[in-house]
Amino acid sequence: MAAAGMMRRSDSNGKEASSATRLQLIDEEQQFSDQLTGFMQNKWGMYEAGFDYDVVAVFGSQSTGKSTLLNRLFGTRFDVMSEAQRQQTTRGIWADRATSENSVLILDVEGTDGRERGEQQDFERKSALFSLAVGEVVIVNLWENMVGLYNGANLGLLKTVMEVNLQLFGGGGGGGGGGEGQQASAKSKTLLFFVIRDHVSPAPLESLARTLRADLARIWEGLGKPAGAPPAFDAYFDVRFASLPHKLLQPEAFEAGARELRRAFRDRGAADYVFRSEYRRRVPADGFPAYAQGVWAAVAHNKDLDLPTQQELLAQFRCDEIAAAALEPFRAALAPLRQGAQDGLVADGLGGAAQAMRAAALGDFDAQARRYHGGVYAKRRAALAAALDAELHAVLVAHVRNAAAAACAAFGRDCARAIGEASARADYAFAAVVGGVRAAVEAAYARAVDGLAFAGAPWSFGAEARQLAAALDAQTGELRAREVARVVARLADDTRAAMADVVAERLGGGAADMWRHVLAAFDGEAEACDARLARALEAAGVEAGGGEPAAAARRMHAALWDGVAGLLRDESADAAVLQRLRAAVEDAFRYDAHGLPRVWTPADDIDAHFAAARDAARALLPRLARVDAGASRVLHAEGFFPAGYDVARTLVLVAAGRQRDLAKRFAREADALFMEAKRSVVATHGR
Ligand code: GDP
Ligand code: MG
């Protein structure tokens, strides 16, 4: 691989190192590597570690055996300066993963031996800032003969570490935001682990440590501190000490000492285990690359660097990334559902699927994002939930509308079919049939929308359910109106049929009281129809109390009378009227008062008889020409017909002009009848 991990130089044995797990995190041009995420994912297997990883950095003068120590302690393959060549190591920061079971990231900070003093100090300060911001344990590497001689560069390095620490953790109140326990805290402590090399003097470690502590206290005292109460050294640092024998003079003792140190860095169960949770920077592993890069960017450009801000920026960056990643599978799963909704389909079990998709997306987000700054996490989660809900709702509401439209269509179709099947049966009741269809349709709708308004969803689809109910109500109203019209038409037909005989008989008889009989029959039919309509309305579910039954009755009355009036008009055609007049004159002329046929003799006054018979028949015409409505109880009753119904118009059966015409025609026919009677008398008696 041509990765930055490839070595630029030979190792101490003169051959190319085979390990490609090292990464030059920050190069000599102070550029931050773009491969940290790839290394954490693929080479170090640390990306998914959450909070369960540690970071160690090493400080110390050039060529004091730092890289040698790291390689011993952690199994890393950092460059070690050749003893023969003593050449300058590359400036920069190298990173590698410890070969231990635990995820430990090691940072090897290389410096220069001051070609230009200002330049070196600048990098030293930047690398110290960076190492303290990202590392929880800082190994301070020094020779025994430096202890107590803290001046110059050595003193400066420790001073830099402490100053930098105050900048990172001491400024801005050092409180960190509120929020949950997982949130990054600005109060992380740092362990300064002093490793004293080439410990060859008889002075015990304790006395060396005492000297170093005194130096530290002096340096701390001398620092310019933020205004207010001077912070305590112990609030920021734990300090530990170890020493190693001379590597060249006591190689075996050196290796034994290194093994013991190595154990303290690896044995999680040990009382002296180095990594303690209070040192952790509380940056999730998957956020470490962005965090480290952000810190370095601020450091490299000499921007103000404080960890709470860095961690909040990191949280925003990572939470956005994680939310975007969580949206992808969600949108992929939603797409076919959206298409289905657009195609008007009504899917099954959509509620469960929607809920699962939403929960999965939030679960994906939570799994990674909850480790970040609590306030940022909560805000971004709410935004993600809102985005999910908006996209879900658009699809679900389309689906609900499809289900409602399907319910409306099914209701109309099924009602028509069910009414068609049931209306011929004796026990047919419109309301029961329509109610049954509606219950089935509403149950299907309820199944289709079941679970769509799942717990926690900010919608209920109550408005859609109300709209559907209103639409079904309206359809029911139309069906009921049609049902009532159908009942009324049938009653009108029945009435017309029942009246046909009475009308024919009474109008044929032409008696003076004929209208009384005809209209008495109509009154009776109308009353019977009132009772039948009331029963039909009840079966149709029309409320008895309201104005609807009365209006229906009035409409029915008009239909009943229209039917009978039509019947009467049919019976009042020219031919029928003439026929009745002719029959009347013949009856009166040909039969005597006892109903016996007359036999004319020359003595009879045929002329007078005929004149009487003809006048009696002609008197019938005005009686046939107009319904005597006064003979009915109901026709003129208040509110029997709908407003605007013109009953008077229906009472005229033969208009005046036609009456005159018919009278003329009748006179001619009567004359013919008279002539015939005269001839018969002459024929019988004349010879
Ligand atoms: P670094 O520049 O601090 O990383 O130092 P290196 O690890 O590259 O070592 C520099 C030189 O010191 C190499 O030649 C090592 O062999 C040698 N060295 C490493 N450890 C020790 C030690 O404990 N004592 C002595 N005297 N030399 C050492
Ligand atoms: Mg080195």
Side-chain angles (χ1 to χ4, degrees):
M1 287 192 70
M6 286 303 282
M7 307 189 72
R8 290 159 191 270
R9 305 170 48 232
S10 300
D11 68 7
S12 54
N13 296 324
K15 62 177 200 245
E16 283 291 305
S18 59
S19 168
T21 66
R22 300 177 322 166
L23 171 68
Q24 190 177 19
L25 189 60
I26 291 157
D27 68 14
E28 51 269 43
E29 310 299 333
Q30 302 202 3
Q31 294 300 306
F32 194 90
S33 170
D34 58 4
Q35 303 193 46
L36 180 54
T37 300
F39 268 67
M40 287 190 66
Q41 286 173 332
N42 306 321
K43 295 194 185 279
W44 301 336
M46 289 175 65
Y47 197 71
E48 314 282 338
F51 288 115
D52 195 14
Y53 73 101
D54 300 295
V55 183
V56 180
V58 69
F59 275 157
S61 299
Q62 187 71 64
S63 296
T64 49
K66 298 186 299 292
S67 299
T68 303
L69 177 68
L70 294 178
N71 292 346
R72 285 292 187 294
L73 295 182
F74 301 109
T76 46
R77 304 275 192 93
F78 293 119
D79 275 2
V80 170
M81 184 180 290
S82 156
E83 279 167 46
Q85 295 174 351
R86 282 273 167 201
Q87 73 189 80
Q88 185 61 55
T89 47
T90 315
R91 191 173 59 180
I93 298 177
W94 292 79
D96 201 352
R97 183 202 202 277
T99 54
S100 59
E101 233 174 73
N102 315 336
S103 292
V104 182
L105 184 67
I106 317 298
L107 301 177
D108 187 10
V109 181
E110 305 270 16
T112 56
D113 256 343
R115 284 177 305 197
E116 273 180 67
R117 190 125 184 87
E119 191 192 345
Q120 193 216 326
Q121 278 190 337
D122 178 58
F123 181 75
E124 198 173 84
R125 185 178 173 82
K126 283 175 177 171
S127 59
L129 256 172
F130 179 74
S131 300
L132 275 170
V134 301
E136 58 212 79
V137 174
V138 173
I139 295 175
V140 181
N141 189 62
L142 71 169
W143 284 320
E144 187 202 357
N145 60 21
M146 292 171 159
V147 176
L149 296 178
Y150 258 77
N151 54 30
N154 303 322
L155 182 73
L157 183 60
L158 268 189
K159 190 165 180 254
T160 299
V161 165
M162 285 184 236
E163 273 175 357
V164 154
N165 191 81
L166 274 181
Q167 179 186 337
L168 287 176
F169 302 108
E180 50 197 81
Q182 291 157 321
Q183 167 186 340
S185 158
K187 288 281 235 180
S188 302
K189 260 183 160 184
T190 304
L191 175 65
L192 295 180
F193 200 137
F194 288 87
V195 180
I196 300 163
R197 312 291 291 272
D198 291 2
H199 186 187
V200 292
S201 81
L205 177 62
E206 290 73 50
S207 88
L208 297 174
R210 243 191 328 275
T211 307
L212 284 171
R213 278 189 200 279
D215 288 341
L216 288 173
R218 209 171 45 248
I219 295 169
W220 186 256
E221 284 304 305
L223 287 182
K225 299 193 190 64
F233 178 82
D234 292 347
Y236 297 103
F237 295 107
D238 279 349
V239 186
R240 247 173 101 160
F241 301 93
S243 68
L244 287 172
H246 198 291
K247 180 172 177 280
L248 303 178
L249 302 180
Q250 300 167 273
E252 280 166 29
F254 173 82
E255 298 299 341
R259 273 197 301 279
E260 175 55 17
L261 257 186
R262 177 183 166 97
R263 186 199 51 73
F265 277 96
R266 290 185 175 236
D267 185 356
R268 275 193 140 156
D272 63 348
Y273 182 56
V274 171
F275 299 113
R276 304 226 312 248
S277 60
E278 63 258 42
Y279 305 147
R280 289 223 163 126
R281 291 295 178 258
R282 293 164 212 276
V283 172
D286 58 21
F288 183 80
Y291 175 70
Q293 186 163 18
V295 167
W296 183 254
V299 165
H301 296 104
N302 292 313
K303 291 221 190 86
D304 282 347
L305 177 67
D306 70 276
L307 292 197
T309 303
Q310 282 303 316
Q311 286 164 346
E312 201 168 315
L313 289 174
L314 169 70
Q316 284 165 7
F317 174 75
R318 279 295 293 151
C319 286
D320 281 353
E321 274 192 341
I322 295 165
L327 266 172
E328 266 178 45
F330 171 83
R331 286 189 171 141
L334 190 62
L337 302 182
R338 181 183 292 118
Q339 189 60 52
Q342 279 168 4
D343 293 346
L345 300 180
V346 179
D348 270 350
L350 194 56
Q355 193 174 8
M357 280 160 48
R358 185 182 190 275
L362 287 176
D364 284 355
F365 179 77
D366 286 345
Q368 293 190 288
R370 75 186 145 71
R371 298 196 184 102
Y372 291 91
H373 185 281
V376 174
Y377 158 71
K379 222 164 125 186
R380 195 63 191 79
R381 189 184 199 276
L384 174 63
L388 296 173
D389 286 344
E391 295 192 18
L392 263 185
H393 183 256
V395 171
L396 295 188
V397 82
H399 173 80
V400 168
R401 287 185 186 140
N402 289 345
C408 278
F411 182 69
R413 192 182 59 231
D414 294 354
C415 278
R417 186 181 42 71
I419 290 170
E421 282 170 12
S423 59
R425 288 205 297 269
D427 63 349
Y428 167 66
F430 169 86
V433 171
V434 170
V437 172
R438 180 161 181 162
V441 158
E442 284 181 332
Y445 173 80
R447 275 196 302 280
V449 305
D450 179 46
L452 294 185
F454 46 80
W459 53 71
S460 68
F461 300 122
E464 283 75 12
R466 284 192 294 279
Q467 275 167 22
L468 174 61
L472 294 182
D473 284 349
Q475 277 202 61
T476 302
E478 283 170 25
L479 287 170
R480 187 185 291 124
R482 224 177 297 158
E483 171 76 4
V484 171
R486 205 170 59 81
V487 169
V488 165
R490 200 177 62 228
L491 293 177
D493 284 353
D494 291 357
T495 299
R496 190 183 155 111
M499 290 292 292
D501 287 347
V502 184
V503 166
E505 184 194 334
R506 292 297 170 182
L507 265 56
D513 61 356
M514 69 177 195
W515 286 120
R516 195 167 54 77
H517 287 285
V518 168
L519 292 176
F522 175 76
D523 288 356
E525 289 294 331
E527 276 161 16
C529 285
D530 280 343
R532 287 172 66 188
L533 179 69
R535 281 197 300 279
L537 290 178
E538 196 189 330
V542 177
E543 264 181 65
E548 205 180 330
R554 282 195 289 274
R555 281 199 308 280
M556 178 189 71
H557 293 152
L560 296 181
W561 181 246
D562 281 345
V564 173
L567 192 63
L568 293 172
R569 274 194 302 279
D570 291 349
E571 292 290 338
S572 310
D574 289 0
V577 172
L578 280 175
Q579 167 61 30
R580 293 216 169 93
L581 296 181
R582 202 184 303 125
V585 77
E586 280 184 7
D587 280 358
F589 186 56
R590 285 188 177 157
Y591 300 92
D592 64 15
H594 306 291
L596 297 173
R598 288 183 207 277
V599 178
W600 298 111
T601 63
D604 289 327
D605 183 356
I606 297 178
D607 290 18
H609 272 295
F610 179 76
R614 190 193 53 197
D615 292 348
R618 194 185 285 152
L620 197 54
L621 183 55
R623 200 183 301 152
L624 289 174
R626 188 184 167 79
V627 179
D628 178 12
S632 167
R633 286 193 311 283
V634 298
L635 282 186
H636 285 296
E638 176 78 23
F640 184 72
F641 290 118
Y645 184 82
D646 186 3
V647 66
R649 178 186 52 82
T650 68
L651 300 180
V652 179
L653 300 178
V654 182
R658 196 153 69 86
Q659 264 191 68
R660 278 194 299 278
D661 180 45
L662 287 174
K664 259 188 236 163
R665 286 170 64 182
F666 171 63
R668 278 197 296 275
E669 290 190 19
D671 287 350
L673 190 66
F674 174 65
M675 295 308 293
E676 185 199 340
K678 285 279 240 193
R679 269 197 303 274
S680 74
V681 172
V682 173
T684 309
H685 304 281
R687 279 195 258 160

